Amino acid sequence: MSLKDTIDRTDLKILQVLQQDARISNQALADRVALSPSACLRRVRELEGKRLITGYHAHVAVDRIRAVTIVLAQVSFERHSPGHFGRFDQWVARTGEVVESWRVSGQYDYMLRVVVTDLHDWKRLMLEMMEGGFGVEKITSNFLMDEMKSFGGYPLAPSPAAG
Amino acid sequence: MSLKDTIDRTDLKILQVLQQDARISNQALADRVALSPSACLRRVRELEGKRLITGYHAHVAVDRIRAVTIVLAQVSFERHSPGHFGRFDQWVARTGEVVESWRVSGQYDYMLRVVVTDLHDWKRLMLEMMEGGFGVEKITSNFLMDEMKSFGGYPLAPSPAAG
DNA sequence: CCTGAAATCCACTATTG
DNA sequence: CAATAGTGGATTTCAGG
């Protein structure tokens, strides 16, 4: 709870607006949260400083710029040794095609979001993973057909329907 | 190919920079892509107009603001009828906890990214999906343990190692 | 499609409450 | 902590090549 006490309704509103429109001017943002520009700017800088805002990103329609195949890969490991995971994470970090990597609980260990040009490209990456000595046991891949709802920010407050 | 012809190296650079830092000033952006501020701004507006940039989003460390459990849910349907998919998509659209929904090929039909408060909250959503008359057959859920690499933009050019 | 100038608007700081 | 006001600098429009 230590952080939540330092955040008030106004900060939440700021985060909500910036999640939806990161390029809004500080003045317009100040208007929307009913604050003077200077007070608003100070809060934004504080939120950045506390790393509650960790970046601002343009969302690009990559499929309209280059040929892309988006793969959701479920990766399971033979053993759960930290060493293997660590080296795998390093490989992920330096591999630009892997745009997102999550450790998950369940039947598999990692869920990757990978952006490749085509199936041949994906095969190459799969080989790198299987033969990189990371202890990868199995990779199950699914291909994105259609983005029905794309990420536009987190719900910063629990839904009213929730407990 | 019709769109790719209308995009040059400078546009790509602009997209690349804005993917990483959407709040960069137009002047700094112009510097980075070796253009005058006015020319740069015009290109950005055009990229927005052509919907190659579809939004600007702040990335918020939601786990430091509220209690969250992030679920990756794989949903499969009894039948693949467009009507059921459509009504399911509508439910997804109005359900704020579902922050991302992908139609995929493979063993299951949808992959959802869901943000809930706790397991009880997730159970409620599962029930809504199973009993909403959408024809949902099975839901497999996995819980996010750790975000090892978080999304920071697409590779806008194919990797040199590819084909 | 660019540059460069001019006008408007905004970010940021200092000051004060 | 917030508001206000001032100034340096940025955004945006427009003329011209």
Side-chain angles (χ1 to χ4, degrees):
Chain A
M1 259 310 199
S2 60
L3 255 165
K4 280 184 233 177
D5 308 55
T6 70
I7 278 201
D8 61 13
R9 257 166 262 106
T10 305
D11 286 326
L12 267 185
K13 257 197 271 181
I14 289 174
L15 293 173
Q16 227 138 32
V17 172
L18 286 178
Q19 271 197 143
Q20 256 115 326
D21 178 11
R23 259 182 99 79
I24 191 172
S25 76
N26 179 60
Q27 262 187 17
L29 177 59
D31 278 353
R32 299 240 338 233
V33 304
L35 223 56
S36 71
S38 62
C40 183
L41 185 63
R42 179 158 25 83
R43 277 167 181 264
V44 170
R45 292 283 116 93
E46 261 169 45
L47 291 168
E48 289 167 353
K50 286 176 186 159
R51 315 238 67 189
L52 294 178
I53 298 173
T54 56
Y56 301 98
H57 303 284
H59 191 237
V60 172
V62 63
D63 58 311
R64 298 180 54 197
I65 285 162
R66 51 164 293 206
V68 282
T69 299
I70 295 180
V71 186
L72 302 176
Q74 293 135 57
V75 182
S76 51
F77 281 71
E78 291 158 6
R79 282 173 298 281
H80 290 184
S81 76
H84 283 145
F85 283 168
R87 297 209 307 109
F88 180 71
D89 290 334
Q90 281 167 29
W91 175 84
V92 164
R94 66 172 179 269
T95 303
E97 291 94 332
V98 182
V99 297
E100 210 163 21
S101 170
W102 294 337
R103 282 221 50 201
V104 298
S105 74
Q107 314 98 315
Y108 50 92
D109 300 301
Y110 278 81
M111 164 88 190
L112 306 182
R113 192 166 146 210
V114 186
V115 177
V116 289
T117 302
D118 50 29
L119 278 180
H120 181 259
D121 201 12
W122 173 231
K123 183 179 153 193
R124 175 180 59 82
L125 282 179
M126 277 189 67
L127 274 174
E128 279 191 42
M129 282 191 263
M130 297 301 298
E131 297 176 358
F134 307 123
V136 168
E137 180 185 67
K138 189 180 163 194
I139 301 173
T140 306
S141 21
N142 291 273
F143 300 91
L144 189 145
M145 314 253 64
D146 226 330
E147 198 155 8
M148 305 311 296
K149 182 176 188 171
S150 60
F151 184 70
Y154 293 106
L156 299 183
S159 131
Chain B
M1 259 309 199
S2 59
L3 255 165
K4 280 184 233 175
D5 308 56
T6 70
I7 278 201
D8 62 12
R9 255 166 265 106
T10 305
D11 285 326
L12 266 185
K13 256 196 271 181
I14 289 174
L15 293 173
Q16 228 138 31
V17 172
L18 285 177
Q19 270 197 143
Q20 256 114 325
D21 178 11
R23 260 182 99 80
I24 190 173
S25 76
N26 180 60
Q27 210 157 81
L29 177 59
D31 277 354
R32 300 241 336 234
V33 303
L35 225 53
S36 69
S38 58
C40 183
L41 183 64
R42 183 159 17 84
R43 276 168 182 266
V44 171
R45 292 282 118 92
E46 260 169 45
L47 291 167
E48 291 167 352
K50 286 177 186 159
R51 313 239 68 189
L52 295 177
I53 299 173
T54 56
Y56 301 98
H57 303 284
H59 192 237
V60 172
V62 63
D63 58 310
R64 297 180 54 199
I65 285 163
R66 50 164 292 205
V68 281
T69 299
I70 294 180
V71 186
L72 302 176
Q74 293 135 56
V75 182
S76 51
F77 281 71
E78 291 159 4
R79 282 173 298 281
H80 290 184
S81 76
H84 283 145
F85 283 168
R87 296 209 307 109
F88 180 71
D89 290 334
Q90 281 168 30
W91 175 84
V92 164
R94 66 171 179 268
T95 304
E97 290 94 332
V98 182
V99 296
E100 210 162 20
S101 169
W102 294 336
R103 283 221 49 199
V104 298
S105 75
Q107 315 97 313
Y108 50 92
D109 300 301
Y110 278 81
M111 165 89 191
L112 306 182
R113 192 166 145 210
V114 186
V115 178
V116 289
T117 302
D118 50 29
L119 278 181
H120 182 259
D121 202 11
W122 172 232
K123 184 179 152 194
R124 176 180 58 83
L125 282 179
M126 277 189 70
L127 274 175
E128 280 191 40
M129 282 191 264
M130 297 300 298
E131 297 175 358
F134 307 123
V136 169
E137 180 185 69
K138 190 180 162 194
I139 301 172
T140 307
S141 20
N142 290 274
F143 299 92
L144 189 146
M145 313 252 64
D146 226 329
E147 197 154 8
M148 305 311 295
K149 181 176 189 170
S150 60
F151 184 71
Y154 293 106
L156 298 183
S159 132

